Amino acid sequence: MVSNSFYKDLEFSEDKVKVSVILETSFTKEIRIAFKKGQIMKEHKTAFPIIVHLLEGEIEFGVEGQKHHLSKGDILTLEGNVPHDLLANEESIVRLSLSKLDTPDRVKQVAKDSK
């Protein structure tokens, strides 16, 4: 058994979105993305399906040019190779479930390249 918490050692960065690996299993990688209000992850995509679960806050989730408002507790799936972006309307915590074949370093690079 492996356990952790999305709220343990929670840190926000003034400069960039903060990406942390919370745990890894035989089939998934669970990532925490901590946003300060106004921070973004610019448009990007992955080759694999993802699950996005908003644990706290409000996010505008852009999918192929359309904006979707997410509130605390909302969850969505997205197939691979679909361009998407995120904008935090308030301080927010996102749970991102990645395929075992995907890499947290890719997510960290998107955050690093975003404003």
Side-chain angles (χ1 to χ4, degrees), residues 9-20 32-41 88 90-93 108 111-115:
D9 301 324
L10 177 61
E11 294 180 19
F12 293 88
S13 171
E14 294 297 325
D15 300 329
K16 300 280 182 186
V17 172
K18 179 80 173 169
V19 177
S20 306
R32 176 181 62 210
I33 307 174
F35 292 83
K36 294 290 270 184
K37 181 178 179 177
Q39 288 181 330
I40 66 167
M41 289 185 80
E90 60 183 56
E91 191 172 272
S92 300
I93 303 168
K108 289 177 182 179
K112 183 178 175 183
D113 292 344
S114 298
K115 294 180 180 180

Side-chain angles (χ1 to χ4, degrees), residues 24-37:
E24 189 171 337
T25 72
S26 60
F27 61 92
T28 187
K29 296 172 186 173
E30 300 299 325
I31 310 298
R32 176 181 62 210
I33 307 174
F35 292 83
K36 294 290 270 184
K37 181 178 179 177

Side-chain angles (χ1 to χ4, degrees), residues 2 6 11 14 18 27 29 35-36 44 47 56 63 70-71 73 78-80 86-90 92 105 113-115:
V2 178
F6 278 86
E11 294 180 19
E14 294 297 325
K18 179 80 173 169
F27 61 92
K29 296 172 186 173
F35 292 83
K36 294 290 270 184
H44 59 284
E56 297 287 342
V63 179
L70 301 181
S71 297
L78 197 62
E79 291 300 318
L86 295 88
L87 165 65
N89 291 333
E90 60 183 56
S92 300
D105 288 339
D113 292 344
S114 298
K115 294 180 180 180

